[in-house]
Amino acid sequence: GWDDQLLSDLAGSGSRRDDVSIENSVAISGNTVYFANSGGLVQGWDITNLKKDPKSVKRVFRFWTGDDTDASVVIDDEGFLYVGSQYERGLERSLEVGQIMTLDPTQPDDPLVWSVEDHDAIPSGVWATMAIHEDMVYVPTNGGRLLGLDRATGEEVWSKDLAGPTWQSPVVVDDVLIQGDCNGVLHAYDVSDRTVDPPE
């Protein structure tokens, strides 16, 4: 789940060298499995011939977010990856790439399509797995904000302030966005019209 380059990048960050646990679920697109770890390493492994030849499995994608990435990677219908990372170490890499990002695995040398920053305090960023619905991405943050982002550009369409930290992952059912908060309240928003701030 890690490599020597990651351990080198994390050296001196105040975290233990072995703080690279995998705390998210894997996501699969085609024959590639994606996951991330607590060191911020996002990986894609080609498992095309896994059953016939396990030694043929190889890494085909590597991206370092710069900080703990516990949220599961989400993949859209075009194969783009949506990644949410925490901001705890305060590393320059986290400031460079942001905490909410879209990656294009077909461009492994420069996969960052867009990113959104959420590093106003330590800790901040994203713990929850984001949700995709139509042309929107819904992302709750540690600070209690629920963001509605344009899927193509990352532009903020709307945001809501909830009781944080909002580590609960959102889900969309029949044009209704469901999100829990840290006061124990389950919110439901009508997202059928994605051009407006959704009513509760």
Side-chain angles (χ1 to χ4, degrees):
W2 67 90
D3 57 23
D4 290 340
Q5 180 63 54
L6 177 65
L7 297 181
S8 174
D9 289 337
L10 293 175
S13 67
S15 64
R16 300 187 332 262
R17 280 180 53 92
D18 61 349
D19 190 10
V20 290
S21 59
I22 299 168
E23 300 179 33
N24 50 46
S25 301
V26 299
I28 297 178
S29 178
N31 290 318
T32 306
V33 60
Y34 295 94
F35 59 92
N37 70 19
S38 294
L41 182 60
V42 180
Q43 300 185 67
W45 289 77
D46 183 346
I47 58 170
T48 301
N49 295 310
L50 173 62
K51 289 184 179 180
K52 293 180 181 177
D53 182 12
K55 291 183 179 180
S56 69
V57 173
K58 63 180 179 180
R59 186 168 67 187
V60 294
F61 182 77
R62 182 191 192 280
F63 182 84
W64 185 42
T65 70
D67 215 323
D68 196 345
T69 306
D70 290 342
S72 297
V73 175
V74 177
I75 307 172
D76 71 12
D77 54 352
E78 298 177 39
F80 287 92
L81 313 180
Y82 298 81
V83 178
S85 289
Q86 296 156 218
Y87 182 71
E88 296 177 304
R89 293 182 171 102
L91 295 177
E92 189 66 33
R93 177 66 174 175
S94 298
L95 299 176
E96 177 187 337
V97 301
Q99 288 63 56
I100 303 163
M101 60 207 82
T102 295
L103 306 175
D104 180 356
T106 68
Q107 305 293 323
D109 294 333
D110 187 19
L112 188 62
V113 177
W114 58 256
S115 66
V116 174
E117 298 175 355
D118 188 72
H119 52 69
D120 55 342
I122 292 181
S124 55
V126 178
W127 271 253
T129 297
M130 59 189 80
I132 296 175
H133 180 62
E134 303 292 343
D135 56 356
M136 295 289 289
V137 181
Y138 303 115
V139 189
T141 69
N142 182 64
R145 292 199 316 149
L146 174 60
L147 304 175
L149 305 177
D150 182 283
R151 194 173 94 172
T153 66
E155 178 183 353
E156 183 178 308
V157 178
W158 54 262
S159 71
K160 296 189 179 293
D161 292 319
L162 303 177
T166 40
W167 293 0
Q168 311 82 355
S169 298
V171 65
V172 180
V173 180
D174 296 331
D175 289 328
V176 176
L177 170 64
I178 300 169
Q179 175 69 53
D181 70 22
C182 222
N183 278 344
V185 177
L186 194 61
H187 302 269
Y189 300 100
D190 179 354
V191 292
S192 57
D193 182 352
R194 290 172 294 283
T195 64
V196 301
D197 187 352
E200 190 165 26

